[in-house]
């Protein structure tokens, strides 16, 4: 058992964090927390730790906390944890407004704690391999990227997921943020960006449930991102096609191939290195940053950049509405 005392708040997606803390020897998983007591008790029994429904009661007994709760709670909960001197691994997206994000960045600096955003995609081994291949320069500079993320969501009536003010936007903000972040990580700083969204097919959601986003980067490269929560007959997970003058990178599932004039070869084969838990590399990075004092790759400042890009896209989307405009 490790020396970093941890807790996880919010036990749906948060169960991935629970399993990773339990598996990593640097961590001492002490608490699981959920408003649903039965859920918390079950997780505590399975992962041999304590449970509570009041997350504020555990702050004296932990060094670090994963916050995996609905988006409108990210700001107040993270602020409270930071002010109590705790390191925070916060699920994406950061917070629902830029002002809240900036206050959290400032508070983490002032309290000398790590604030890391859980951009799990960035830490996945196949994405690291893709980035390494692009950054090597061996294949030339990308000029065109496409990314598709097909998903299907049917939340219970009244769920926070359907409410724009709680979710912080629509599918682009909530799920697309992973891929805007990843595309910026791969291609650099965007100089122009826009998005179109629709509620067609996801009428349960107050904002867009299907989004097409476009970005242009400082290099001149263009990227097109499709995200949706309405695709019942979907192919998951995300797919990418990234073209350079000399090559095309094809990412499907966790397999990364490159096509050049020499033919097609696999750069990353998930069958050879299958991870038991996709959250392991990200959570290992968080623990390592706490242990060594270095800054997380996806710290507050870094993670704010992709949300700023999304908020710019939403300004464009709002000018036209969600499909009401007519020629
Ligand atoms: N990395 C990913 O791929 C990924 C996937 C899904 C969700 N997420 C993120 O994870 C977070 C949670 O999403 P979800 O889908 O698990 O939401 P959810 O609504 O399904 O689950 C949230 C859980 O938090 C609990 N909760 C709510 N308020 C609480 C409080 N004050 N104290 C303790 N527990 C509380 C709820 O009871 C529920 O069990 C969001 O930030 C979401 O964007 C990330």
């Amino acid at each position: 058992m490790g020396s970093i005392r941890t807790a996880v708040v919010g036990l749906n997606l948060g169960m991935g964090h629970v399993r990773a803390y339990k598996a990593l020897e640097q961590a001492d998983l002490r608490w699981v927390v959920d408003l649903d007591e039965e859920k918390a008790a079950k997780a505590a029994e399975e992962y041999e730790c304590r449970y509570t429904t009041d997350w504020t009661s555990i702050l004296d007994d932990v060094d670090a906390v994963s916050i995996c709760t609905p988006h409108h709670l990210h700001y107040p909960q993270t602020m409270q944890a930071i002010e109590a001197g705790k390191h925070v691994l916060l699920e994406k997206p950061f917070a629902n407004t830029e002002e809240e994000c900036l206050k959290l960045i400032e508070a983490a600096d002032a309290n000398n704690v790590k604030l890391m955003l859980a951009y799990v995609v960035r830490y996945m081994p196949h994405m690291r391999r893709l980035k390494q291949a692009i950054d090597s320069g061996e294949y030339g500079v990308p000029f065109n990227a496409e990314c598709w993320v097909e998903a299907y969501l049917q939340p219970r009536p009244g769920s926070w997921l359907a409410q724009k003010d709680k979710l912080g936007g629509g599918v682009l903000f909530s799920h697309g943020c992973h891929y805007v972040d990843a595309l910026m990580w791969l291609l650099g700083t965007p100089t122009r960006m826009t998005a179109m969204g629709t509620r067609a097919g996801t009428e349960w959601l107050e904002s867009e449930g299907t989004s097409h986003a476009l970005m242009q980067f400082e290099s001149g490269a263009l990227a097109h991102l499709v995200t949706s929560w309405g695709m019942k007959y979907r192919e998951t997970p995300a797919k990418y096609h990234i073209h350079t003058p000399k090559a095309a990178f094809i990412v499907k599932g966790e397999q990364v191939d490159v096509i050049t004039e020499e033919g097609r070869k696999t750069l990353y084969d998930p069958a050879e290195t299958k991870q038991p838990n996709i959250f392991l590399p990200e959570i290992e990075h968080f623990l390592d940053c706490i242990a060594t004092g270095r800054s997380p790759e996806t710290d507050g400042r870094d993670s704010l950049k992709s949300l700023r890009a999304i908020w710019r896209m939403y300004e464009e989307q709002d000018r036209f509405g969600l499909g009401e405009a007519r020629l």
Side-chain angles (χ1 to χ4, degrees):
M1 192 181 291
S3 57
I4 302 173
R5 299 169 304 160
T6 62
V8 178
V9 184
L11 299 176
N12 185 13
L13 181 281
M15 288 307 296
H17 292 231
V18 170
R19 282 188 277 276
Y21 285 128
K22 198 67 197 174
L24 289 165
E25 61 179 22
Q26 305 93 307
D28 170 11
L29 175 70
R30 293 176 87 90
W31 292 93
V32 285
V33 189
D34 202 285
L35 293 179
D36 179 338
E37 187 167 1
E38 211 175 298
K39 201 191 261 186
K42 188 165 170 275
E45 191 184 350
E46 189 174 355
Y47 293 96
E48 297 170 324
C49 61
R50 300 171 72 187
Y51 74 90
T52 177
T53 55
D54 174 10
W55 80 280
T56 61
S57 67
I58 59 151
L59 286 170
D60 285 344
D61 192 45
V62 296
D63 304 305
V65 58
S66 275
I67 295 183
C68 308
T69 51
H71 302 166
H72 60 292
L73 301 177
H74 285 190
Y75 172 72
Q77 292 182 333
T78 304
M79 186 58 93
Q80 194 169 344
I82 289 173
E83 284 177 343
K86 308 302 158 186
H87 305 289
V88 178
L89 177 58
L90 172 61
E91 261 305 328
K92 42 53 65 177
F94 200 162
N96 285 358
T97 68
E98 179 164 6
E99 193 190 349
E100 289 176 346
C101 296
L102 289 169
K103 283 186 182 164
L104 292 174
I105 292 169
E106 210 174 285
D109 287 349
N111 287 277
N112 198 23
V113 295
K114 304 294 170 205
L115 169 60
M116 172 169 154
L117 268 291
Y119 275 115
V120 68
V121 172
R122 273 228 225 161
Y123 296 95
M124 291 167 83
H126 73 292
M127 293 301 289
R128 313 288 292 185
R129 181 67 187 95
L130 173 66
K131 171 135 173 92
Q132 184 196 46
I134 291 174
D135 288 354
S136 74
E138 188 185 339
Y139 301 97
V141 179
F143 64 87
N144 189 82
E146 286 145 275
C147 175
W148 300 262
V149 189
E150 300 179 346
Y152 187 62
L153 211 61
Q154 259 202 322
R156 281 193 306 270
S159 167
W160 66 277
L161 286 157
Q163 298 167 44
K164 189 178 175 185
D165 59 337
K166 295 201 167 115
L167 193 69
V171 69
L172 177 63
F173 181 76
S174 183
H175 194 186
C177 66
H178 273 303
Y179 305 95
V180 174
D181 175 78
L183 287 165
M184 287 172 60
W185 180 58
L186 294 170
L187 301 175
T189 303
T191 52
R192 291 200 286 174
M193 59 224 83
T194 188
M196 276 191 190
T198 181
R199 293 180 63 228
T202 52
E203 286 81 359
W204 55 267
L205 177 54
E206 283 175 5
S207 195
E208 88 288 347
T210 297
S211 165
H212 284 215
L214 275 180
M215 288 187 274
Q216 183 163 39
F217 295 85
E218 279 173 347
S219 65
L222 293 172
H224 177 210
L225 168 66
V226 178
T227 44
S228 178
W229 274 339
M231 295 179 175
K232 193 166 187 178
Y233 303 101
R234 62 208 175 275
E235 230 184 36
T236 56
K239 296 181 277 291
Y240 303 78
H241 285 187
I242 299 178
H243 295 265
T244 74
K246 290 197 245 176
F249 298 101
I250 312 290
V251 183
K252 192 165 181 223
E254 288 174 29
Q255 176 154 329
V256 181
D257 286 357
V258 64
I259 305 171
T260 63
E261 63 182 11
E262 283 154 24
R264 182 166 181 148
K265 76 173 176 186
T266 297
L267 295 179
Y268 185 89
D269 180 356
E272 285 170 17
T273 42
K274 192 74 195 151
Q275 287 274 353
N277 174 348
I278 61 163
F279 298 95
L280 274 177
E282 143 188 287
I283 287 182
E284 203 165 18
H285 180 72
F286 178 55
L287 295 169
D288 185 57
C289 289
I290 294 171
T292 61
R294 73 182 165 123
S295 256
E297 282 188 32
T298 49
D299 66 7
R301 281 183 181 77
D302 182 79
S303 304
L304 179 56
K305 291 181 198 160
S306 50
L307 284 200
R308 279 189 169 136
I310 290 173
W311 286 321
R312 289 271 296 278
M313 292 176 199
Y314 274 158
E315 283 170 21
E316 294 280 307
Q317 181 169 291
D318 289 347
R319 280 175 47 214
F320 298 106
L322 295 175
E324 298 87 354
R326 295 278 179 277
L327 283 180

